[in-house]
Amino acid sequence: MSFEASFKALSDPVRREILQMLKDRRLSAGEISRHFDMTAATVSYHLNILKKAGLVWEEKEKNFIYYDLNTSILEELMSWLIELEGSRKNEE
């Protein structure tokens, strides 16, 4: 996992909203696209960035592509941030 790719992916509000949508269940690309006022190609672009950063999984079933959160990457990011905060508190 690249922290750089993960943080770049998280820097965009659309991608953060997609992650929020996926927190409860996996969704198809079409279900995600219907939530936004943008082209399906633009939503696909955002999903591709999330996928390359390892933040979401992609699973193909018949004619649909489903996306789901990769919680292990999110846990790694959160652990690193907590560790960073903890080392700052120890200095004070």
Side-chain angles (χ1 to χ4, degrees):
M1 174 195 67
S2 161
F3 278 165
E4 181 181 358
S6 297
F7 284 117
K8 179 182 177 185
L10 292 170
S11 71
D12 187 276
V14 169
R15 294 191 285 269
R16 290 193 306 269
E17 191 168 344
I18 291 171
L19 293 175
Q20 282 290 327
M21 293 171 64
L22 294 172
K23 73 179 182 181
D24 295 323
R25 65 184 180 98
R26 73 183 192 146
L27 296 169
S28 70
E31 290 171 311
I32 295 168
S33 290
R34 284 192 290 276
H35 183 78
F36 296 97
D37 185 26
M38 57 182 69
T39 66
T42 302
V43 172
S44 179
Y45 165 79
H46 287 293
L47 288 166
N48 194 41
I49 289 175
L50 289 169
K51 190 173 71 168
K52 285 182 179 177
L55 295 169
V56 298
W57 301 108
E58 175 185 88
E59 185 178 351
K60 296 178 182 177
E61 289 183 16
K62 297 183 183 178
N63 295 335
F64 298 97
I65 300 174
Y66 289 92
Y67 293 89
D68 204 353
L69 282 179
N70 180 358
T71 55
S72 62
I73 296 295
L74 294 172
E75 288 169 359
E76 275 187 61
L77 286 170
M78 288 173 28
S79 177
W80 182 80
L81 289 169
I82 289 168
E83 183 181 308
L84 183 64
E85 179 188 36
S87 60
R88 177 72 177 186
K89 286 182 178 180
N90 290 335
E91 292 176 6
E92 295 174 355

Coordinates of all heavy atoms in Angstrom, one line a residue:
M1 N 0.8 -1.2 0.0 CA 0.0 0.0 0.0 C 0.9 1.2 0.0 O 1.9 1.3 0.7 CB -0.9 0.0 1.2 CG -1.7 1.3 1.3 SD -2.5 1.7 2.9 CE -1.0 1.9 4.0
S2 N 0.5 2.2 -0.8 CA 1.2 3.5 -0.8 C 0.4 4.5 -0.1 O -0.8 4.8 -0.5 CB 1.4 3.9 -2.3 OG 1.7 5.2 -2.4
F3 N 0.9 5.0 1.0 CA 0.2 6.1 1.7 C 0.0 7.3 0.8 O -1.1 7.9 0.8 CB 1.0 6.6 2.9 CG 0.8 5.7 4.1 CD1 1.7 5.8 5.2 CD2 -0.2 4.8 4.3 CE1 1.6 5.1 6.3 CE2 -0.3 4.0 5.4 CZ 0.5 4.1 6.4
E4 N 0.9 7.6 -0.1 CA 0.7 8.7 -1.0 C -0.5 8.5 -1.9 O -1.3 9.4 -2.0 CB 2.0 8.8 -1.9 CG 1.9 10.0 -2.9 CD 3.1 10.1 -3.8 OE1 4.1 9.3 -3.6 OE2 3.1 11.0 -4.6
A5 N -0.7 7.3 -2.5 CA -1.8 7.0 -3.3 C -3.1 7.1 -2.5 O -4.1 7.6 -2.9 CB -1.7 5.7 -4.0
S6 N -3.1 6.6 -1.3 CA -4.3 6.6 -0.4 C -4.7 8.0 0.0 O -5.9 8.3 -0.1 CB -4.0 5.8 0.9 OG -3.7 4.4 0.5
F7 N -3.7 8.8 0.4 CA -4.0 10.2 0.8 C -4.5 11.0 -0.4 O -5.4 11.8 -0.3 CB -2.9 10.8 1.5 CG -2.8 10.4 2.9 CD1 -1.6 9.7 3.4 CD2 -3.8 10.6 3.8 CE1 -1.5 9.3 4.7 CE2 -3.7 10.1 5.1 CZ -2.6 9.5 5.6
K8 N -3.9 10.7 -1.6 CA -4.3 11.4 -2.8 C -5.8 11.1 -3.1 O -6.6 11.9 -3.4 CB -3.4 11.1 -4.0 CG -3.9 11.8 -5.3 CD -3.0 11.4 -6.5 CE -3.6 12.1 -7.7 NZ -2.9 11.7 -8.9
A9 N -6.1 9.8 -3.0 CA -7.5 9.4 -3.3 C -8.4 10.0 -2.3 O -9.5 10.4 -2.6 CB -7.5 7.8 -3.2
L10 N -8.0 10.1 -1.0 CA -8.9 10.6 0.0 C -9.0 12.2 -0.1 O -9.9 12.7 0.6 CB -8.3 10.3 1.4 CG -8.4 8.8 1.8 CD1 -7.7 8.5 3.0 CD2 -9.9 8.4 1.9
S11 N -8.2 12.8 -0.8 CA -8.2 14.3 -0.9 C -9.4 14.8 -1.6 O -9.7 16.0 -1.5 CB -6.9 14.8 -1.5 OG -6.8 14.5 -2.9
D12 N -10.0 14.0 -2.4 CA -11.2 14.5 -3.2 C -12.5 14.2 -2.5 O -12.7 13.1 -2.1 CB -11.1 13.8 -4.6 CG -12.2 14.3 -5.5 OD1 -13.3 13.9 -5.4 OD2 -11.8 15.2 -6.3
P13 N -13.4 15.2 -2.4 CA -14.6 15.0 -1.7 C -15.6 14.0 -2.4 O -16.3 13.3 -1.7 CB -15.3 16.4 -1.7 CG -14.5 17.2 -2.7 CD -13.2 16.6 -2.9
V14 N -15.5 13.9 -3.7 CA -16.4 12.9 -4.4 C -15.9 11.5 -3.9 O -16.7 10.6 -3.6 CB -16.3 13.0 -5.9 CG1 -16.9 11.8 -6.6 CG2 -16.9 14.3 -6.3
R15 N -14.6 11.2 -3.9 CA -14.1 9.9 -3.5 C -14.4 9.6 -2.0 O -14.7 8.5 -1.7 CB -12.6 9.8 -3.8 CG -12.4 9.8 -5.4 CD -11.0 9.5 -5.7 NE -10.0 10.5 -5.5 CZ -9.6 11.4 -6.3 NH1 -10.2 11.5 -7.5 NH2 -8.7 12.3 -6.0
R16 N -14.3 10.6 -1.2 CA -14.7 10.4 0.2 C -16.2 10.1 0.3 O -16.6 9.2 1.1 CB -14.3 11.7 1.1 CG -12.8 11.9 1.2 CD -12.5 12.9 2.3 NE -13.1 14.2 2.1 CZ -12.6 15.2 1.5 NH1 -11.4 15.1 0.9 NH2 -13.3 16.3 1.4
E17 N -17.0 10.7 -0.5 CA -18.4 10.4 -0.4 C -18.7 9.0 -0.9 O -19.6 8.3 -0.4 CB -19.2 11.4 -1.3 CG -20.7 11.3 -1.1 CD -21.4 12.5 -1.7 OE1 -20.8 13.6 -2.0 OE2 -22.7 12.4 -1.8
I18 N -18.0 8.6 -1.9 CA -18.1 7.2 -2.4 C -17.8 6.2 -1.3 O -18.5 5.2 -1.1 CB -17.2 6.9 -3.7 CG1 -17.8 7.7 -4.9 CG2 -17.2 5.4 -4.0 CD1 -16.9 7.7 -6.1
L19 N -16.7 6.5 -0.6 CA -16.3 5.6 0.5 C -17.4 5.6 1.6 O -17.7 4.5 2.2 CB -15.0 6.0 1.1 CG -13.8 5.9 0.2 CD1 -12.5 6.5 0.9 CD2 -13.5 4.4 -0.1
Q20 N -18.0 6.7 1.9 CA -19.1 6.8 2.8 C -20.3 5.9 2.4 O -20.9 5.2 3.2 CB -19.6 8.2 3.0 CG -18.7 9.1 3.9 CD -18.8 8.6 5.4 OE1 -19.8 8.2 5.9 NE2 -17.7 8.8 6.0
M21 N -20.6 6.0 1.1 CA -21.6 5.1 0.5 C -21.4 3.7 0.7 O -22.3 2.9 0.9 CB -21.8 5.5 -1.0 CG -22.3 6.9 -1.2 SD -22.3 7.3 -3.0 CE -23.5 6.1 -3.6
L22 N -20.1 3.3 0.6 CA -19.7 1.9 0.7 C -19.5 1.3 2.1 O -19.3 0.1 2.3 CB -18.4 1.6 -0.1 CG -18.5 1.9 -1.6 CD1 -17.1 1.8 -2.2 CD2 -19.5 0.9 -2.3
K23 N -19.7 2.2 3.1 CA -19.4 1.7 4.5 C -20.4 0.7 5.0 O -20.0 -0.1 5.8 CB -19.3 2.9 5.4 CG -20.6 3.6 5.8 CD -20.3 4.7 6.8 CE -21.7 5.3 7.1 NZ -21.5 6.4 8.0
D24 N -21.6 0.7 4.5 CA -22.6 -0.2 4.9 C -22.8 -1.5 4.0 O -23.2 -2.5 4.5 CB -24.0 0.5 5.1 CG -23.9 1.6 6.1 OD1 -23.3 1.4 7.2 OD2 -24.6 2.6 5.9
R25 N -22.5 -1.3 2.8 CA -22.7 -2.5 1.9 C -22.0 -2.2 0.5 O -21.7 -1.0 0.2 CB -24.2 -2.7 1.6 CG -24.9 -1.6 0.9 CD -26.4 -2.0 0.7 NE -27.1 -0.9 0.0 CZ -27.4 -0.9 -1.3 NH1 -27.0 -2.0 -2.0 NH2 -28.0 0.1 -1.9
R26 N -21.7 -3.2 -0.2 CA -21.2 -3.1 -1.5 C -22.2 -2.5 -2.5 O -23.4 -2.7 -2.3 CB -20.6 -4.4 -2.0 CG -21.6 -5.4 -2.4 CD -21.0 -6.7 -2.9 NE -22.0 -7.5 -3.5 CZ -21.8 -8.3 -4.5 NH1 -20.6 -8.5 -5.0 NH2 -22.7 -9.0 -5.0
L27 N -21.8 -1.8 -3.5 CA -22.7 -1.2 -4.5 C -22.1 -1.4 -5.9 O -20.9 -1.5 -6.1 CB -22.8 0.3 -4.2 CG -23.4 0.8 -2.9 CD1 -23.2 2.3 -2.7 CD2 -24.9 0.4 -2.9
S28 N -23.1 -1.4 -6.8 CA -22.6 -1.5 -8.2 C -22.2 -0.2 -8.7 O -22.5 0.9 -8.1 CB -23.8 -2.0 -9.1 OG -24.8 -1.0 -9.2
A29 N -21.4 -0.1 -9.8 CA -21.0 1.1 -10.3 C -22.2 2.0 -10.7 O -22.2 3.2 -10.5 CB -20.1 0.9 -11.5
G30 N -23.2 1.4 -11.2 CA -24.5 2.1 -11.6 C -25.1 2.7 -10.4 O -25.6 3.9 -10.5
E31 N -25.2 2.0 -9.3 CA -25.8 2.5 -8.1 C -25.0 3.8 -7.6 O -25.6 4.7 -7.1 CB -25.9 1.5 -6.9 CG -26.9 0.4 -7.2 CD -26.7 -0.8 -6.2 OE1 -25.6 -1.2 -6.0 OE2 -27.8 -1.2 -5.7
I32 N -23.7 3.7 -7.6 CA -22.9 4.8 -7.2 C -23.1 6.0 -8.2 O -23.2 7.1 -7.7 CB -21.4 4.4 -7.2 CG1 -21.2 3.3 -6.1 CG2 -20.5 5.6 -6.9 CD1 -19.9 2.6 -6.1
S33 N -23.1 5.7 -9.5 CA -23.2 6.8 -10.5 C -24.5 7.5 -10.3 O -24.6 8.7 -10.5 CB -23.2 6.2 -11.9 OG -21.9 5.8 -12.2
R34 N -25.6 6.8 -10.0 CA -26.9 7.5 -9.8 C -26.9 8.5 -8.7 O -27.8 9.4 -8.7 CB -28.0 6.4 -9.6 CG -28.4 5.7 -10.9 CD -29.7 4.9 -10.7 NE -29.5 3.7 -9.9 CZ -29.1 2.6 -10.3 NH1 -28.7 2.4 -11.5 NH2 -29.0 1.6 -9.5
H35 N -26.0 8.4 -7.8 CA -26.0 9.3 -6.6 C -25.4 10.6 -7.0 O -25.6 11.6 -6.3 CB -25.1 8.6 -5.5 CG -25.1 9.4 -4.2 ND1 -26.1 9.4 -3.3 CD2 -24.1 10.2 -3.8 CE1 -25.7 10.2 -2.3 NE2 -24.5 10.7 -2.6
F36 N -24.6 10.7 -8.1 CA -23.9 11.9 -8.4 C -24.5 12.5 -9.7 O -25.0 11.9 -10.6 CB -22.4 11.6 -8.7 CG -21.7 11.1 -7.4 CD1 -21.5 9.8 -7.2 CD2 -21.3 12.1 -6.5 CE1 -20.9 9.4 -6.0 CE2 -20.6 11.6 -5.3 CZ -20.5 10.3 -5.1
D37 N -24.3 13.8 -9.8 CA -24.7 14.6 -11.0 C -23.4 14.7 -11.9 O -22.9 15.9 -12.1 CB -25.3 15.9 -10.6 CG -25.8 16.7 -11.8 OD1 -26.2 16.0 -12.8 OD2 -25.8 17.9 -11.8
M38 N -23.0 13.6 -12.4 CA -21.8 13.6 -13.3 C -21.9 12.4 -14.2 O -22.7 11.5 -13.9 CB -20.5 13.6 -12.5 CG -20.3 12.5 -11.5 SD -18.8 12.5 -10.5 CE -19.1 13.9 -9.5
T39 N -21.1 12.4 -15.2 CA -21.1 11.3 -16.1 C -20.7 10.0 -15.5 O -19.9 10.0 -14.5 CB -20.3 11.6 -17.4 OG1 -18.9 11.6 -17.0 CG2 -20.7 12.8 -18.1
A40 N -21.1 8.9 -16.1 CA -20.6 7.6 -15.6 C -19.1 7.4 -15.7 O -18.5 6.8 -14.9 CB -21.4 6.5 -16.3
A41 N -18.6 8.0 -16.8 CA -17.1 8.0 -17.0 C -16.4 8.7 -15.9 O -15.3 8.2 -15.5 CB -16.8 8.6 -18.4
T42 N -16.9 9.8 -15.4 CA -16.3 10.5 -14.3 C -16.3 9.7 -13.1 O -15.3 9.7 -12.3 CB -16.9 11.9 -14.2 OG1 -16.8 12.7 -15.4 CG2 -16.3 12.7 -13.1
V43 N -17.4 9.1 -12.8 CA -17.5 8.3 -11.6 C -16.6 7.1 -11.7 O -15.9 6.7 -10.7 CB -19.0 7.8 -11.3 CG1 -19.1 6.8 -10.2 CG2 -19.9 9.0 -11.0
S44 N -16.5 6.5 -12.9 CA -15.6 5.4 -13.1 C -14.1 5.9 -12.9 O -13.3 5.1 -12.3 CB -15.7 4.9 -14.6 OG -14.8 3.9 -14.8
Y45 N -13.8 7.1 -13.3 CA -12.5 7.6 -13.0 C -12.2 7.7 -11.5 O -11.1 7.2 -11.1 CB -12.4 9.0 -13.6 CG -11.2 9.9 -13.1 CD1 -9.9 9.6 -13.7 CD2 -11.3 10.8 -12.2 CE1 -8.8 10.4 -13.2 CE2 -10.3 11.6 -11.7 CZ -9.0 11.3 -12.2 OH -8.0 12.1 -11.8
H46 N -13.1 8.1 -10.7 CA -13.0 8.2 -9.3 C -12.8 6.8 -8.7 O -12.0 6.6 -7.8 CB -14.1 9.0 -8.6 CG -14.1 10.5 -8.9 ND1 -13.1 11.3 -8.4 CD2 -14.9 11.3 -9.6 CE1 -13.3 12.5 -8.7 NE2 -14.4 12.5 -9.5
L47 N -13.7 5.9 -9.1 CA -13.6 4.5 -8.6 C -12.2 3.9 -9.0 O -11.7 3.1 -8.1 CB -14.7 3.7 -9.2 CG -16.1 4.0 -8.7 CD1 -17.2 3.4 -9.5 CD2 -16.2 3.5 -7.2
N48 N -11.7 4.2 -10.1 CA -10.4 3.6 -10.5 C -9.3 4.2 -9.6 O -8.4 3.4 -9.2 CB -10.1 4.0 -12.0 CG -9.0 3.2 -12.5 OD1 -8.9 2.0 -12.3 ND2 -8.1 3.8 -13.3
I49 N -9.4 5.4 -9.2 CA -8.4 6.0 -8.3 C -8.5 5.3 -7.0 O -7.4 4.9 -6.3 CB -8.5 7.5 -8.2 CG1 -8.1 8.2 -9.5 CG2 -7.7 8.1 -7.0 CD1 -8.3 9.7 -9.6
L50 N -9.7 5.1 -6.5 CA -9.9 4.4 -5.2 C -9.4 3.0 -5.3 O -8.8 2.5 -4.3 CB -11.4 4.4 -4.8 CG -11.9 5.8 -4.4 CD1 -13.4 5.7 -4.3 CD2 -11.3 6.3 -3.1
K51 N -9.6 2.3 -6.4 CA -9.2 1.0 -6.6 C -7.6 0.9 -6.6 O -7.0 0.0 -6.0 CB -9.8 0.4 -7.8 CG -9.5 -1.1 -8.0 CD -10.3 -1.7 -9.2 CE -9.6 -1.2 -10.5 NZ -10.1 -1.9 -11.7
K52 N -7.0 1.8 -7.4 CA -5.5 1.8 -7.5 C -4.9 2.1 -6.1 O -3.8 1.6 -5.8 CB -5.1 2.8 -8.5 CG -5.3 2.4 -9.9 CD -4.8 3.4 -10.9 CE -4.9 2.9 -12.3 NZ -4.5 3.9 -13.3
A53 N -5.6 2.9 -5.3 CA -5.0 3.2 -3.9 C -5.3 2.1 -3.0 O -4.8 2.1 -1.8 CB -5.7 4.5 -3.4
G54 N -6.0 1.0 -3.4 CA -6.3 -0.1 -2.5 C -7.4 0.1 -1.5 O -7.6 -0.7 -0.6
L55 N -8.2 1.2 -1.7 CA -9.2 1.6 -0.8 C -10.5 0.8 -1.0 O -11.4 0.7 -0.1 CB -9.5 3.1 -0.7 CG -8.3 3.9 -0.2 CD1 -8.5 5.4 -0.5 CD2 -8.1 3.6 1.3
V56 N -10.7 0.3 -2.2 CA -11.9 -0.4 -2.6 C -11.5 -1.7 -3.4 O -10.5 -1.7 -4.0 CB -13.0 0.4 -3.4 CG1 -13.5 1.6 -2.6 CG2 -12.4 0.8 -4.8
W57 N -12.4 -2.7 -3.2 CA -12.3 -3.9 -4.0 C -13.3 -3.8 -5.2 O -14.4 -3.2 -5.0 CB -12.7 -5.1 -3.2 CG -11.9 -5.4 -2.0 CD1 -12.3 -5.2 -0.7 CD2 -10.6 -5.9 -1.9 NE1 -11.4 -5.6 0.2 CE2 -10.3 -6.0 -0.5 CE3 -9.6 -6.2 -2.8 CZ2 -9.0 -6.5 -0.1 CZ3 -8.4 -6.7 -2.3 CH2 -8.1 -6.8 -1.0
E58 N -13.0 -4.4 -6.3 CA -13.9 -4.5 -7.4 C -14.2 -6.0 -7.7 O -13.2 -6.8 -7.7 CB -13.2 -3.9 -8.6 CG -13.9 -4.0 -9.9 CD -13.1 -3.5 -11.1 OE1 -12.4 -4.3 -11.7 OE2 -13.3 -2.3 -11.4
E59 N -15.4 -6.3 -7.8 CA -15.8 -7.7 -8.1 C -16.8 -7.7 -9.3 O -17.8 -7.0 -9.2 CB -16.5 -8.3 -6.9 CG -16.8 -9.7 -7.0 CD -17.4 -10.3 -5.7 OE1 -17.4 -9.7 -4.7 OE2 -17.9 -11.5 -5.8
K60 N -16.6 -8.5 -10.3 CA -17.4 -8.6 -11.4 C -18.4 -9.7 -11.3 O -17.9 -10.8 -11.0 CB -16.6 -8.7 -12.7 CG -15.8 -7.5 -13.0 CD -15.0 -7.6 -14.3 CE -14.1 -6.4 -14.4 NZ -13.2 -6.4 -15.5
E61 N -19.7 -9.5 -11.5 CA -20.7 -10.5 -11.4 C -21.6 -10.3 -12.6 O -22.3 -9.3 -12.7 CB -21.5 -10.4 -10.1 CG -20.7 -10.9 -8.9 CD -21.6 -10.9 -7.7 OE1 -22.9 -10.8 -7.8 OE2 -21.0 -10.9 -6.6
K62 N -21.6 -11.2 -13.5 CA -22.4 -11.1 -14.8 C -22.1 -9.8 -15.5 O -21.0 -9.6 -15.8 CB -23.9 -11.4 -14.5 CG -24.2 -12.7 -13.9 CD -25.6 -12.9 -13.7 CE -25.8 -14.3 -13.1 NZ -27.2 -14.5 -12.8
N63 N -23.1 -9.0 -15.6 CA -22.9 -7.7 -16.3 C -22.6 -6.5 -15.4 O -22.7 -5.4 -15.9 CB -24.2 -7.4 -17.2 CG -24.3 -8.4 -18.3 OD1 -23.4 -9.0 -18.7 ND2 -25.6 -8.6 -18.7
F64 N -22.4 -6.8 -14.1 CA -22.2 -5.7 -13.2 C -20.9 -5.7 -12.5 O -20.3 -6.8 -12.4 CB -23.3 -5.8 -12.1 CG -24.7 -5.7 -12.6 CD1 -25.5 -6.8 -12.9 CD2 -25.3 -4.4 -12.8 CE1 -26.8 -6.7 -13.4 CE2 -26.5 -4.3 -13.3 CZ -27.3 -5.4 -13.6
I65 N -20.4 -4.6 -12.1 CA -19.2 -4.5 -11.3 C -19.6 -3.9 -10.0 O -20.2 -2.8 -9.9 CB -18.1 -3.5 -12.0 CG1 -17.7 -4.1 -13.4 CG2 -16.9 -3.4 -11.1 CD1 -16.8 -3.2 -14.2
Y66 N -19.2 -4.6 -8.9 CA -19.6 -4.2 -7.6 C -18.3 -3.7 -6.9 O -17.2 -4.2 -7.1 CB -20.2 -5.3 -6.8 CG -21.6 -5.7 -7.2 CD1 -21.8 -6.6 -8.2 CD2 -22.7 -5.0 -6.7 CE1 -23.1 -6.9 -8.6 CE2 -23.9 -5.3 -7.1 CZ -24.1 -6.3 -8.1 OH -25.4 -6.6 -8.5
Y67 N -18.5 -2.7 -6.0 CA -17.4 -2.1 -5.3 C -17.7 -2.3 -3.8 O -18.8 -2.2 -3.3 CB -17.2 -0.6 -5.6 CG -16.7 -0.5 -7.0 CD1 -17.6 -0.4 -8.1 CD2 -15.3 -0.5 -7.3 CE1 -17.1 -0.3 -9.4 CE2 -14.9 -0.4 -8.6 CZ -15.8 -0.2 -9.7 OH -15.3 -0.1 -10.9
D68 N -16.6 -2.5 -3.0 CA -16.7 -2.7 -1.6 C -15.5 -2.1 -0.9 O -14.4 -2.0 -1.6 CB -16.8 -4.2 -1.2 CG -17.5 -4.4 0.1 OD1 -17.8 -3.5 0.8 OD2 -17.7 -5.6 0.4
L69 N -15.6 -1.7 0.3 CA -14.5 -1.1 1.0 C -13.4 -2.1 1.3 O -13.7 -3.3 1.7 CB -14.9 -0.5 2.4 CG -15.6 0.8 2.4 CD1 -16.0 1.1 3.8 CD2 -14.8 1.9 1.8
N70 N -12.2 -1.7 1.2 CA -11.0 -2.6 1.7 C -10.7 -2.0 3.1 O -9.9 -1.1 3.2 CB -9.9 -2.5 0.7 CG -8.7 -3.3 1.2 OD1 -8.7 -3.9 2.2 ND2 -7.6 -3.3 0.4
T71 N -11.3 -2.6 4.1 CA -11.1 -2.1 5.4 C -9.7 -2.3 6.0 O -9.3 -1.5 6.8 CB -12.1 -2.7 6.4 OG1 -12.0 -4.2 6.3 CG2 -13.6 -2.3 6.0
S72 N -9.0 -3.3 5.4 CA -7.6 -3.5 6.0 C -6.7 -2.2 5.6 O -5.9 -1.8 6.5 CB -7.0 -4.7 5.4 OG -6.9 -4.7 4.0
I73 N -6.9 -1.7 4.5 CA -6.1 -0.5 4.1 C -6.5 0.7 5.0 O -5.7 1.5 5.5 CB -6.3 -0.1 2.6 CG1 -5.8 -1.2 1.7 CG2 -5.7 1.3 2.3 CD1 -4.3 -1.4 1.8
L74 N -7.8 0.9 5.2 CA -8.3 1.9 6.1 C -7.8 1.7 7.5 O -7.4 2.7 8.2 CB -9.8 2.0 6.1 CG -10.5 2.4 4.7 CD1 -12.0 2.2 4.8 CD2 -10.1 3.8 4.4
E75 N -7.7 0.5 8.0 CA -7.2 0.2 9.3 C -5.7 0.6 9.4 O -5.3 1.1 10.4 CB -7.4 -1.2 9.7 CG -8.9 -1.5 10.0 CD -9.2 -3.0 10.1 OE1 -8.2 -3.8 10.0 OE2 -10.3 -3.4 10.4
E76 N -5.0 0.3 8.4 CA -3.5 0.7 8.3 C -3.4 2.2 8.4 O -2.5 2.7 9.1 CB -2.9 0.1 7.1 CG -2.4 -1.3 7.1 CD -1.6 -1.6 5.9 OE1 -0.5 -1.0 5.7 OE2 -2.0 -2.6 5.2
L77 N -4.2 2.9 7.6 CA -4.1 4.4 7.6 C -4.4 4.9 9.0 O -3.8 5.8 9.5 CB -5.0 5.0 6.6 CG -4.6 4.9 5.1 CD1 -5.8 5.3 4.2 CD2 -3.4 5.7 4.9
M78 N -5.5 4.4 9.6 CA -5.9 4.9 10.9 C -4.9 4.6 12.0 O -4.6 5.4 12.8 CB -7.3 4.3 11.3 CG -8.4 4.8 10.5 SD -10.0 4.0 10.7 CE -10.0 3.4 12.3
S79 N -4.3 3.4 11.9 CA -3.3 3.0 12.8 C -2.1 3.9 12.7 O -1.5 4.4 13.8 CB -2.8 1.6 12.6 OG -1.8 1.2 13.4
W80 N -1.7 4.3 11.5 CA -0.5 5.2 11.3 C -0.8 6.6 11.9 O 0.0 7.2 12.5 CB -0.2 5.2 9.8 CG 1.0 6.1 9.6 CD1 2.3 5.8 9.7 CD2 0.9 7.5 9.1 NE1 3.1 6.9 9.4 CE2 2.2 8.0 9.0 CE3 -0.1 8.4 8.8 CZ2 2.6 9.3 8.6 CZ3 0.2 9.7 8.4 CH2 1.5 10.1 8.3
L81 N -2.1 7.0 11.6 CA -2.4 8.4 12.1 C -2.5 8.4 13.7 O -2.0 9.4 14.3 CB -3.8 8.8 11.5 CG -3.8 9.1 10.1 CD1 -5.2 9.3 9.5 CD2 -3.0 10.4 9.8
I82 N -3.0 7.3 14.3 CA -3.1 7.3 15.7 C -1.7 7.2 16.3 O -1.4 7.9 17.3 CB -3.9 6.0 16.2 CG1 -5.4 6.3 15.9 CG2 -3.7 5.7 17.6 CD1 -6.3 5.1 16.0
E83 N -0.8 6.4 15.6 CA 0.6 6.4 16.1 C 1.3 7.7 16.0 O 2.0 8.1 16.9 CB 1.4 5.3 15.2 CG 2.8 5.1 15.6 CD 3.5 4.1 14.7 OE1 2.9 3.0 14.6 OE2 4.5 4.4 14.2
L84 N 1.0 8.4 14.9 CA 1.6 9.8 14.7 C 1.1 10.7 15.8 O 1.9 11.5 16.4 CB 1.2 10.3 13.3 CG 1.7 11.6 12.9 CD1 3.3 11.6 12.8 CD2 1.1 12.1 11.6
E85 N -0.2 10.7 16.1 CA -0.7 11.5 17.1 C -0.1 11.2 18.5 O 0.2 12.0 19.3 CB -2.2 11.4 17.2 CG -2.9 12.3 18.2 CD -4.3 12.0 18.4 OE1 -4.8 10.9 18.3 OE2 -5.0 13.0 18.7
G86 N 0.0 9.9 18.7 CA 0.5 9.4 20.0 C 2.0 9.9 20.2 O 2.3 10.3 21.3
S87 N 2.8 9.8 19.2 CA 4.2 10.3 19.3 C 4.3 11.7 19.6 O 5.1 12.2 20.3 CB 5.0 9.9 18.1 OG 4.5 10.4 16.9
R88 N 3.3 12.5 19.1 CA 3.3 13.9 19.3 C 2.9 14.2 20.8 O 3.5 15.1 21.4 CB 2.3 14.6 18.4 CG 2.0 16.0 18.5 CD 3.2 16.8 18.1 NE 2.9 18.2 18.2 CZ 3.7 19.2 17.8 NH1 4.8 18.9 17.1 NH2 3.3 20.4 17.9
K89 N 1.9 13.5 21.3 CA 1.5 13.7 22.7 C 2.6 13.3 23.6 O 2.8 13.9 24.7 CB 0.2 12.8 23.0 CG -1.0 13.4 22.4 CD -2.2 12.6 22.7 CE -3.4 13.3 22.1 NZ -4.6 12.5 22.5
N90 N 3.4 12.3 23.3 CA 4.5 11.8 24.2 C 5.6 12.9 24.3 O 6.3 12.9 25.2 CB 5.1 10.5 23.7 CG 4.2 9.3 23.8 OD1 3.3 9.4 24.7 ND2 4.3 8.3 23.0
E91 N 5.7 13.7 23.2 CA 6.7 14.8 23.3 C 6.3 15.9 24.2 O 7.2 16.7 24.6 CB 7.0 15.3 21.9 CG 7.7 14.3 20.9 CD 7.8 14.8 19.5 OE1 7.5 16.0 19.3 OE2 8.2 14.0 18.7
E92 N 5.1 16.1 24.4 CA 4.6 17.2 25.2 C 4.8 17.0 26.7 O 4.9 16.1 27.3 CB 3.1 17.5 24.9 CG 2.9 18.0 23.4 CD 1.5 18.1 23.1 OE1 0.6 17.8 23.8 OE2 1.2 18.6 21.9

